[in-house]
Amino acid sequence: VNEVGEPGELGVIAILGVGLIGGSLGLALREAGVTREVVAWNRGSAAGRHALECGAIDRLAESPREAVAGADLVVIATPVGVVVPLMREILPRLAPDAVVTDVGSTKRRIVAEAEAILGERFVGGHPMAGSEESGISAASASLFEGATWVLTPTERTGACALERVRRLAEATGAVPRECAPCDHDRWIATLSHLPHLGAYGIAAIARKTCGDGAADMTGGSFRDGTRVAESDPGLWTGILLDNRDAALDALDDLSSWLDRARAAIERGDAGALHDMLTAARDARKWFRNER
Amino acid sequence: VNEVGEPGELGVIAILGVGLIGGSLGLALREAGVTREVVAWNRGSAAGRHALECGAIDRLAESPREAVAGADLVVIATPVGVVVPLMREILPRLAPDAVVTDVGSTKRRIVAEAEAILGERFVGGHPMAGSEESGISAASASLFEGATWVLTPTERTGACALERVRRLAEATGAVPRECAPCDHDRWIATLSHLPHLGAYGIAAIARKTCGDGAADMTGGSFRDGTRVAESDPGLWTGILLDNRDAALDALDDLSSWLDRARAAIERGDAGALHDMLTAARDARKWFRNER
């Protein structure tokens, strides 16, 4: 068995979409020296050329099909709505033993549809890395360093395919872990969708409620708590609609918590409010300590 | 007129409560060398001794009254519920020309009650600095560096009192600005209470919804977005109940925004959702750029 990091062991990698994630992946893999070649395609050719110039990729292909021809491992790093259409498009040119993975923030639908197209050669993935920034200009070789890279194999997933994607994740410095697609979607709705929705909501309300003079009255709680409200609205529209049921459940949980807090504040119930905040504080500490 | 920073110009400062804010204030003032003496009282004497040992204060008093005897400027840096009771307690020992200020996160009620007790000698204040940590062990001389320090004078506030508190703020490296108490409370409910309530709520839900295995699936949006959920529940119970009306209004605004987002997700309305997220993204950018 090869050790991770053996020169070129991952072979030829095709990355479809060189935004923040795809571009950072190219930079990390090339820095690790674990690929023979990193080929990429990007919908906008300017960003593709930028990726080439900044050393995130070895070669820029003209089309998704051209990018995957000869690739050992294909990484689809586009908005979630484009993942499966791209899969259909590249299928005719995919080598028989090529493995395909994605980095989408939702997994249940993508994995089900991808397996119908690719069978055991597909492994769903979601690196827990990123930021409110997007695009190749924000890419960094260290983006995945220490981050969890969720893999969502099913009973159909091939063992070799899974192993290859695991090595891909490890080569970037990430820590791969497995998770069922439905658990992933449910958990991520709370752990990632809610912080995004809360940030978007608070930022929108603040601009409406506060006068122009309030800009210098933001403290750390606003700055950190709404940071991800600068995330790309198109990307997040796609994610939230794709993970609709889990997102609705998570929103209902949040609304119900906020309603209970509101009721406690309205009736001046210090005991009830204190209990809610204490449980929440303990929960946050649990996440920090367990991590 | 003395320049800010002239040695000892602020005279003798009494700080009631040497937690994160009071302790950092002592450190900053002593580092700036603008006081003749920093005397403090703290409800718990262990923290008071810690403040003395770490150089945040010159002298530890046994009681609030002892602390303020001979002080030119008194800073009440306790939880909001204790500010006015302390004011009543120190009144008999306060020098006739001593100025009093506070650092509480709510201002309308405190200012009204404080003016009834102290008249023109009181200036409401709220430095927009702090963190989820609390206590003297988290104190830092640079906590206020570059932070906005809100002052809430009214038509009753004495000009000299306001000037003295402004100089106190400037001596710590903060940027003082004036704001009417009611504007402060309304704005801060959105800019600070909502990020705290959102953080507490999301942390509480996450612990309940996600299995023990989900701790390593938190990304940056959860970490930053729920950071302040580790804030002291007692402190925040007091703040939210004290700023009840504005907190309820802000919560209603957030619930209504989340309801609209929920409806758009439920009916799969990408256009409406995209519009909401785009407006929110632009709002967040406005705050960042204006600051």
Side-chain angles (χ1 to χ4, degrees):
Chain A
V1 178
N2 290 343
E3 289 297 306
V4 167
E6 184 154 324
E9 68 142 317
L10 289 172
V12 176
I13 308 276
I15 301 177
L16 306 184
V18 281
L20 174 64
I21 301 294
S24 297
L25 179 62
L27 286 169
L29 293 175
R30 293 192 71 229
E31 190 170 292
V34 290
T35 57
R36 283 211 314 279
E37 190 183 25
V38 176
V39 193
W41 166 83
N42 196 68
R43 196 182 53 176
S45 57
R49 282 192 302 273
H50 187 156
L52 197 58
E53 282 155 19
C54 74
I57 59 176
D58 294 297
R59 181 160 60 86
L60 184 64
E62 299 270 317
S63 70
R65 291 192 181 186
E66 182 193 324
V68 306
D72 299 295
L73 178 53
V74 176
V75 184
I76 306 184
T78 63
V80 289
V82 193
V83 173
V84 172
L86 267 179
M87 228 169 260
R88 290 204 184 88
E89 186 174 344
I90 61 175
L91 190 58
R93 294 289 290 277
L94 216 48
D97 59 347
V99 167
V100 179
T101 187
D102 78 318
V103 297
S105 299
T106 62
K107 295 270 68 79
R108 214 165 47 155
R109 179 195 59 82
I110 288 176
V111 169
E113 295 183 11
E115 289 189 338
I117 297 167
L118 293 164
E120 65 166 24
R121 296 188 292 163
F122 178 77
V123 183
H126 181 199
M128 302 305 301
S131 80
E132 74 282 12
E133 298 183 288
S134 56
I136 181 70
S137 54
S140 147
S142 63
L143 184 71
F144 307 103
E145 201 69 56
T148 297
W149 191 309
V150 180
L151 303 177
T152 59
T154 69
E155 70 279 6
R156 288 191 68 177
T157 310
C160 294
L162 178 57
E163 182 56 23
R164 218 184 293 176
V165 177
R166 176 189 297 281
R167 285 173 177 249
L168 172 84
E170 285 170 347
T172 68
V175 183
R177 68 155 279 178
E178 293 178 24
C179 182
C182 63
D183 284 340
H184 169 277
D185 281 11
R186 195 162 45 86
W187 294 350
I188 228 62
T190 295
L191 299 176
S192 167
H193 300 1
L194 281 193
H196 279 82
L197 283 165
Y200 279 122
I202 293 169
I205 292 164
R207 185 71 186 100
K208 214 167 167 180
T209 306
C210 304
D212 281 357
D216 66 349
M217 282 177 58
T218 55
S221 65
F222 182 86
R223 283 197 299 276
D224 284 2
T226 63
R227 176 179 58 80
V228 294
E230 294 198 31
S231 302
D232 180 31
L235 206 66
W236 275 91
T237 298
I239 291 169
L240 292 166
L241 293 182
D242 201 27
N243 198 15
R244 180 178 171 281
D245 293 348
L248 293 179
D249 285 347
L251 273 169
D252 288 342
D253 288 340
L254 181 57
S255 291
S256 135
W257 193 94
L258 291 172
D259 284 349
R260 279 199 300 135
R262 190 197 188 288
I265 294 170
E266 189 165 35
R267 67 177 187 269
D269 189 340
L273 189 57
H274 194 276
D275 286 349
M276 288 182 74
L277 302 188
T278 303
R281 195 254 334 250
D282 293 347
R284 178 55 168 71
K285 285 193 174 175
W286 181 87
F287 276 99
R288 177 161 54 77
N289 292 332
E290 284 298 308
R291 205 191 138 72
Chain B
V1 178
N2 288 345
E3 287 298 306
V4 167
E6 186 153 323
E9 68 144 317
L10 289 173
V12 177
I13 308 276
I15 302 176
L16 306 184
V18 281
L20 173 64
I21 301 293
S24 297
L25 179 61
L27 287 169
L29 292 176
R30 293 191 73 230
E31 190 172 292
V34 291
T35 57
R36 283 210 315 279
E37 189 182 27
V38 176
V39 193
W41 166 83
N42 196 69
R43 196 183 53 175
S45 58
R49 282 192 302 274
H50 187 156
L52 198 57
E53 282 155 18
C54 74
I57 60 177
D58 294 297
R59 181 160 61 85
L60 184 63
E62 299 271 317
S63 70
R65 290 192 183 187
E66 182 193 326
V68 306
D72 299 295
L73 177 53
V74 177
V75 183
I76 306 183
T78 63
V80 289
V82 193
V83 173
V84 172
L86 267 179
M87 228 169 260
R88 290 205 185 88
E89 187 174 344
I90 60 175
L91 190 57
R93 293 289 289 276
L94 215 49
D97 59 345
V99 167
V100 179
T101 186
D102 78 319
V103 298
S105 299
T106 61
K107 294 270 69 79
R108 215 166 45 155
R109 178 195 60 82
I110 289 177
V111 169
E113 296 182 11
E115 289 189 338
I117 298 167
L118 293 165
E120 65 166 23
R121 296 188 293 162
F122 178 76
V123 183
H126 180 201
M128 303 304 301
S131 81
E132 75 281 14
E133 298 183 289
S134 56
I136 180 70
S137 54
S140 149
S142 62
L143 185 70
F144 307 103
E145 200 68 58
T148 297
W149 192 309
V150 181
L151 302 178
T152 58
T154 69
E155 69 280 4
R156 288 192 66 176
T157 310
C160 293
L162 178 58
E163 183 57 22
R164 218 184 293 175
V165 178
R166 177 189 297 282
R167 284 175 178 249
L168 173 84
E170 284 171 347
T172 67
V175 182
R177 67 155 279 177
E178 294 178 24
C179 181
C182 62
D183 283 341
H184 170 277
D185 281 11
R186 197 160 44 86
W187 293 351
I188 228 61
T190 296
L191 298 176
S192 167
H193 299 2
L194 281 192
H196 279 83
L197 283 165
Y200 279 122
I202 293 170
I205 293 164
R207 185 71 186 99
K208 214 168 168 181
T209 307
C210 304
D212 281 357
D216 66 348
M217 280 176 58
T218 55
S221 65
F222 182 86
R223 283 197 298 277
D224 284 0
T226 64
R227 176 178 58 79
V228 294
E230 294 198 31
S231 303
D232 180 30
L235 207 66
W236 275 91
T237 298
I239 291 170
L240 292 166
L241 294 182
D242 201 27
N243 198 15
R244 180 179 171 279
D245 294 347
L248 294 178
D249 284 347
L251 273 169
D252 288 342
D253 287 342
L254 181 58
S255 291
S256 136
W257 193 94
L258 292 172
D259 285 348
R260 280 199 298 134
R262 191 198 187 285
I265 294 170
E266 190 165 34
R267 66 177 189 268
D269 190 339
L273 189 57
H274 194 275
D275 285 350
M276 287 181 74
L277 302 188
T278 303
R281 195 256 330 253
D282 293 346
R284 178 56 169 72
K285 285 194 174 174
W286 182 87
F287 276 99
R288 178 163 53 79
N289 292 332
E290 285 298 310
R291 203 190 141 73

